[in-house]
């Protein structure tokens, strides 16, 4: 269909052109375009069609683009309609991890921004620890795919077309291990990942970082991090100053950083967890028994927003109580939830839905104005962030409704905003929802990761999966993913990768178990057959690597892919070694296979399968070997 806009649309025109292909099929030649009156108003978002005449009434620019997508969707099904939405949050956005090896290309950021515009999400942060350029600091972000000033400005200019605010997101205390790994940063380190507080040279460096991180963006807002500084004051700081209370170091450091942001006219926010952790005897962020002393709160700066991040709870009352505690700090908190694209190779939508529904319900009830969804990439960004689109749509629909969206409404909106079927994302998540895993995978079991990377000769996770039969599960998911490819061209390479992953797991999940059983039985003929299967599996793994590389390079810069090449290469080499070892044993060249002599033990005895988890480990190192690497 085609539209003819009436009213003040000059500032919207470029954005309209950028979204044209996403609004649905073009009208037949000679057909009349639908006339849409565009009205700017302080009221709610309204889209309507009556007697062939349309209307979009909106407050913010991004509301118009959400309205445009709504209009296109509704007009494709109905000849007349009136739909009104009242945005529940002043800011509803996305934080995209660009620091765990995967730095999204500008073209991919633009693609995401177009989808965000139709969703009505109005803020995008790129989480950059050291992946931006600081002038005269060649080692900062070296070989890490860091963004240039020009790249970030290009993304910000594009976001502006849709009324989406891009703001810098950085670290000014901890989470700087990669930026501090080089010799030229030696004098800045407290520990290997934490800056040395209370030193003039540190604040000179922080000012350079803040200036560089904020320069490409129009926004005066800035996220300055400061989370998870668990060893604050316990490294070189301790040697120089002796022991100092962490509350004292934290407040003094924050004030100095705020002096810098104030000097440059910036409006900062920080993660809040360190204040809660310091107050908790167990260093737990969500310890509802712990209380931050009033004297400490009185010393906390009031010219900064505190961001409450929580991806882990299903009870709205937990979020509500934590939000109330944040309000004691004197500024209205910002809430950060999670679309679970981390910790496994597949996304987790059972947890994403349950926790997001609870969190955003509590945010509305507590009058929170600003929320955003994080898409982290812990473990090397094995999970492509575009697998999180359904979760972003969920955040968007919560933003424009008074309650959790109905499933059918969410599915229709996702098709309009992304061109993708919700079932495609749910099928990806289903890889981890194996027998033995509770419905919705609430314990975030990650068999797609540990079954792929575990060594077949060592079998560190074999005891976890031994009670179950998983072949049929992976075969069924593989078939489902293949069937979804034709109708989801936007994510064809993702679906191809996950289908191939399911095919690999279908064979690999129990090959170590079968190997151990045949060995214990002295079945050399059976071991020869497994050796042949290992050769075939090597070929499957290579095809999987190439499929993964294709979808990585479509979305991200090449830096960081070498880590996954190394993982796939290590897996292939170990499969070849296992094949050789079995063939040597079967032929009598060696008397035994020492690795298969050892009894298999459970990897994760704390979360046995009967509790609804097949096990979980996020660290490739621990999955692949019990030895030093």
């Amino acid at each position: 269909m085609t539209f003819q806009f009436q009213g003040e649309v000059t500032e919207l025109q470029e954005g309209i052109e950028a979204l044209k292909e996403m609004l649905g099929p073009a009208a037949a030649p000679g057909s009349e375009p639908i006339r849409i009156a565009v009205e700017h108003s302080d009221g709610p978002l309204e889209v309507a069609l009556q007697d062939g005449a349309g209307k979009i009434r909106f407050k913010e620019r991004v509301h118009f683009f959400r309205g445009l997508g709504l209009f296109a969707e509704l007009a494709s099904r109905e000849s007349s309609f009136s739909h009104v939405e009242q945005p529940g949050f002043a800011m509803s956005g996305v934080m995209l991890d660009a620091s765990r090896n995967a730095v999204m290309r500008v073209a991919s950021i633009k693609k995401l921004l177009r989808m965000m515009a139709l969703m009505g999400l109005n803020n995008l942060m790129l989480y950059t620890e050291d992946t931006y350029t600081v002038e005269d600091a060649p080692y900062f972000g070296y070989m890490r795919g860091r963004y240039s000033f020009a790249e970030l400005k290009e993304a910000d200019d594009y976001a502006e077309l849709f009324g989406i605010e891009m703001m810098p997101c950085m670290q000014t205390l901890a989470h700087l291990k990669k930026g501090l790994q080089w010799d030229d940063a030696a004098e800045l380190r407290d520990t290997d990942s934490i800056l040395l507080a209370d030193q003039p040279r540190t604040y000179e460096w922080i000012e350079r970082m803040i200036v560089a991180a904020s320069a490409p963006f129009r926004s005066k807002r800035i996220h300055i991090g400061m989370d998870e500084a668990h060893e604050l004051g316990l490294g070189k700081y301790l040697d120089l100053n002796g022991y100092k209370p962490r509350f004292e170091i934290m407040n003094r450091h924050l004030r100095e950083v705020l002096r810098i942001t104030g000097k440059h006219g910036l409006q900062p926010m920080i993660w809040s967890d360190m204040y809660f952790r310091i107050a908790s005897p167990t260093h737990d962020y969500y310890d509802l028994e712990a209380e931050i002393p009033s004297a400490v709160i009185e010393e906390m700066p009031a010219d900064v927003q505190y961001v409450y991040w929580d991806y882990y709870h299903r009870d709205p009352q937990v979020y509500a109580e934590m939000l109330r505690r944040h309000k004691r700090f004197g500024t209205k908190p910002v809430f950060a939830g999670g679309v679970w694209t981390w910790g496994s190779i597949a996304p987790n939508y059972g947890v994403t839905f349950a926790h997001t529904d609870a969190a955003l319900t509590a945010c509305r009830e507590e009058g929170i104005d600003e929320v955003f969804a994080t898409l982290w990439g812990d473990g090397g960004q094995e999970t492509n962030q575009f697998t999180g689109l359904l979760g972003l749509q969920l955040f968007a629909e919560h933003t424009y409704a008074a309650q959790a969206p109905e499933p059918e409404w969410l599915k229709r909106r996702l098709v309009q905003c992304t061109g993708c079927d919700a079932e495609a994302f749910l099928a990806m998540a289903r890889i981890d929802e194996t027998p033995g895993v509770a419905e919705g995978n609430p314990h975030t079991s990650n068999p797609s990761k540990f079954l792929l990377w575990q060594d077949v000769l060592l079998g560190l996770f074999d005891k976890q999966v031994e009670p179950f039969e998983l072949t049929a599960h992976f075969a069924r998911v593989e078939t489902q993913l293949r069937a979804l490819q034709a109708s989801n061209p936007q994510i064809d390479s993702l679906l191809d990768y996950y289908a191939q992953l399911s095919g690999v797991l279908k064979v690999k999940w129990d090959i170590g178990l079968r190997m151990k059983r045949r060995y214990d039985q002295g079945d050399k003929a059976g071991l020869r057959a497994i050796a042949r299967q290992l050769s075939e599996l090597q070929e499957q793994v290579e095809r999987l690597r190439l499929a993964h590389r294709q979808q990585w390079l479509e979305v991200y810069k090449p830096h960081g892919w070498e880590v996954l090449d190394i993982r796939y290469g290590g897996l292939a080499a170990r499969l070849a070694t296992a094949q050789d070892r079995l063939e040597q044993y079967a032929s009598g060249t060696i008397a035994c296979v020492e690795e298969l002599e050892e009894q298999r033990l459970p990897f994760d005895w704390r979360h046995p399968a009967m509790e609804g988890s097949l096990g979980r480990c996020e660290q490739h190192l621990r999955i692949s070997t019990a030895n030093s690497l």
Side-chain angles (χ1 to χ4, degrees):
M1 64 187 71
T2 56
F3 304 121
Q4 185 179 80
F5 298 98
Q6 300 172 335
E8 185 51 59
V9 295
T10 303
E11 67 172 11
L12 306 172
Q13 198 60 53
E14 282 190 73
I16 292 169
E17 287 297 315
L19 296 175
K20 187 177 293 184
E21 292 183 6
M22 300 176 68
L23 295 175
S31 60
E32 289 293 321
I34 300 175
R35 297 185 307 279
I36 302 176
V38 177
E39 301 177 17
H40 194 276
S41 167
D42 286 336
L45 170 62
E46 180 182 356
V47 296
L49 178 63
Q50 186 71 37
D51 298 328
K55 176 175 65 176
I56 300 178
R57 180 177 290 159
F58 68 101
K59 181 178 181 181
E60 296 182 11
R61 192 183 311 174
V62 77
H63 297 163
F64 168 81
F65 291 108
R66 176 176 171 87
L68 183 56
L70 281 166
F71 191 99
E73 178 201 342
L74 294 170
S76 69
R77 294 186 286 110
E78 303 174 26
S79 59
S80 65
F81 54 82
S82 178
H83 180 82
V84 177
E85 295 180 336
Q86 181 62 60
F89 303 113
M91 181 189 88
S92 185
V94 179
M95 174 178 283
L96 202 65
D97 192 343
S99 294
R100 300 312 200 286
N101 297 353
V103 177
M104 191 174 279
R105 296 179 184 274
V106 172
S108 299
I109 294 172
K110 290 180 176 181
K111 178 179 178 178
L112 181 63
L113 285 166
R114 291 191 293 272
M115 295 176 177
M116 287 176 60
L118 292 174
M119 292 178 186
L121 298 171
N122 65 356
N123 182 281
L124 176 61
M125 306 180 210
L126 301 178
Y127 174 74
T128 52
E129 293 173 355
D130 67 326
T131 48
Y132 58 96
T133 300
V134 178
E135 190 175 355
D136 298 325
Y139 283 97
F140 190 72
Y142 174 59
M143 290 295 179
R144 294 258 292 142
R146 63 191 166 201
Y147 288 113
S148 67
F149 173 94
E151 286 176 315
L152 292 175
K153 186 176 187 307
E154 181 181 352
D156 186 61
D157 288 344
Y158 198 75
E160 174 67 11
L161 297 181
F162 310 112
I164 297 174
E165 176 189 36
M166 286 192 70
M167 55 182 279
C169 183
M170 58 181 299
Q171 289 286 359
T172 56
L173 182 57
H175 276 296
L176 286 166
K177 189 171 185 175
K178 294 302 177 186
L180 294 175
Q181 68 181 315
W182 305 104
D183 290 344
D184 71 341
E187 294 183 354
L188 300 171
R189 298 187 203 115
D190 179 3
T191 69
D192 66 350
S193 63
I194 300 175
L195 288 168
L196 183 59
D198 295 342
Q199 295 294 310
R201 184 168 301 199
T202 298
Y203 298 106
E204 291 170 6
W205 170 244
I206 289 174
E207 182 164 13
R208 290 176 64 193
M209 287 197 299
I210 287 172
V211 168
S214 60
F217 300 104
R218 291 169 171 78
S219 177
K220 291 300 181 182
R221 306 181 78 190
I222 185 170
H223 197 317
I224 55 175
M226 297 199 187
D227 60 314
E228 297 185 319
H230 303 299
E231 298 176 339
L232 176 63
L234 300 178
K236 188 187 294 185
Y237 187 98
L238 184 65
D239 296 336
L240 295 174
N241 303 287
Y243 177 77
K244 301 291 182 185
R246 286 186 295 167
F247 273 133
E248 179 184 314
I249 302 172
M250 187 80 187
N251 273 343
R252 190 163 54 244
H253 180 78
L254 177 56
R255 284 199 199 90
E256 188 61 25
V257 176
L258 294 182
R259 180 192 64 78
I260 296 168
T261 57
K263 173 182 174 182
H264 294 280
L266 300 171
Q267 303 159 22
M269 62 177 68
I270 67 166
W271 305 112
S272 69
D273 60 295
M274 282 306 296
Y275 285 100
F276 289 89
R277 293 181 192 276
I278 294 171
S280 169
T282 59
H283 308 293
D284 180 6
Y285 187 11
Y286 312 111
D287 183 354
L288 297 182
E289 300 299 318
E291 288 287 345
I292 301 175
S294 298
V296 171
I297 292 176
E298 290 172 4
E299 291 295 315
M300 290 171 66
D303 52 347
V304 61
Q305 287 183 287
Y306 295 89
V307 182
Y308 162 41
W309 58 269
D310 192 341
Y311 329 125
Y312 303 108
H313 296 100
R314 292 173 172 254
D315 183 357
Q317 292 309 310
V318 173
Y319 296 101
E321 176 59 27
M322 287 294 291
L323 288 166
R324 288 191 285 267
R325 292 182 180 212
H326 279 75
K327 291 175 183 177
R328 293 180 60 198
F329 298 167
T331 58
K332 185 170 282 191
V334 178
F335 175 74
V339 175
W340 276 69
T341 57
W342 68 90
S344 186
I345 295 183
N348 186 320
Y349 272 108
V351 168
T352 295
F353 271 76
H355 297 190
T356 298
D357 288 344
L360 296 188
T361 295
C363 285
R364 280 195 303 268
E365 291 175 352
E366 290 297 318
I368 301 305
D369 292 332
E370 299 183 316
V371 302
F372 60 88
T374 59
L375 290 90
W376 296 111
D378 304 45
Q381 199 67 69
E382 290 168 329
T383 312
N384 189 302
Q385 287 157 319
F386 278 95
T387 64
L389 289 176
L390 177 58
L392 297 186
Q393 194 75 56
L394 178 66
F395 258 76
E397 300 318 308
H398 265 282
T399 298
Y400 291 89
Q403 57 191 10
E406 292 294 327
E408 287 306 312
W409 173 260
L410 181 66
K411 291 176 182 179
R412 289 199 301 268
R413 295 296 302 129
L414 183 73
V415 170
Q416 180 61 56
C417 297
T418 70
C420 302
D421 183 350
E423 178 57 26
F425 299 99
L426 298 176
M428 295 174 196
R430 214 167 283 137
I431 296 174
D432 280 334
E433 296 171 0
T434 64
V437 172
E439 184 178 358
N441 196 5
H443 304 300
T444 62
S445 184
N446 64 346
S448 65
K449 180 162 183 166
F450 64 70
L451 291 175
L452 176 64
W453 298 130
Q454 81 157 346
D455 190 287
V456 293
L457 279 175
L458 304 179
L460 297 182
F461 283 82
D462 280 353
K463 202 68 178 177
Q464 300 291 126
V465 299
E466 188 176 28
F468 303 100
E469 166 51 51
L470 306 185
T471 303
H473 169 78
F474 291 125
R476 184 167 54 252
V477 174
E478 180 184 16
T479 299
Q480 292 169 350
L481 289 162
R482 287 295 181 207
L484 287 159
Q485 275 187 261
S487 57
N488 288 274
Q490 288 273 17
I491 52 172
D492 175 74
S493 63
L494 282 178
L495 291 168
D496 177 61
Y497 169 74
Y498 281 112
Q500 292 200 47
L501 173 63
S502 300
V504 167
L505 297 178
K506 179 175 64 178
V507 176
K508 186 175 184 290
W509 81 270
D510 69 338
I511 204 164
L513 289 167
R514 290 186 281 119
M515 191 187 304
K516 171 68 170 164
R517 189 160 53 245
R518 295 284 184 270
Y519 182 81
D520 289 345
Q521 294 168 350
D523 181 0
K524 291 188 175 183
L527 289 175
R528 282 195 182 97
I530 291 176
R532 289 192 295 272
Q533 195 171 27
L534 286 170
S535 178
E536 295 167 2
L537 186 57
Q538 289 175 59
E539 295 177 5
Q540 284 184 274
V541 166
E542 174 61 7
R543 289 195 295 272
L544 181 66
R545 182 186 73 85
L546 294 175
H548 199 167
R549 187 178 69 183
Q550 177 183 341
Q551 51 100 345
W552 176 288
L553 294 176
E554 286 174 359
V555 174
Y556 303 112
K557 297 185 179 186
H559 308 81
W561 171 253
E562 74 276 7
V563 173
L564 291 176
D565 255 347
I566 290 166
R567 290 179 188 177
Y568 281 111
L571 174 58
R574 289 298 295 162
L575 290 172
T577 294
Q579 180 185 354
D580 290 344
R581 300 277 285 158
L582 293 187
E583 289 174 345
Q584 289 169 356
Y585 173 70
S587 67
T589 305
I590 59 175
C592 68
V593 181
E594 290 95 332
E595 302 95 321
L596 297 180
E597 293 283 331
E598 290 204 43
Q599 178 187 358
R600 275 26 182 174
L601 301 175
F603 183 91
D604 190 352
W605 54 266
R606 296 166 301 170
H607 300 102
M610 69 277 297
E611 293 182 3
S613 171
L614 220 60
R616 177 178 178 82
C617 183
E618 293 189 20
Q619 299 171 312
H620 173 266
L621 168 62
R622 291 208 62 212
I623 292 169
S624 59
T625 179
N627 292 294
S628 299
L629 187 64

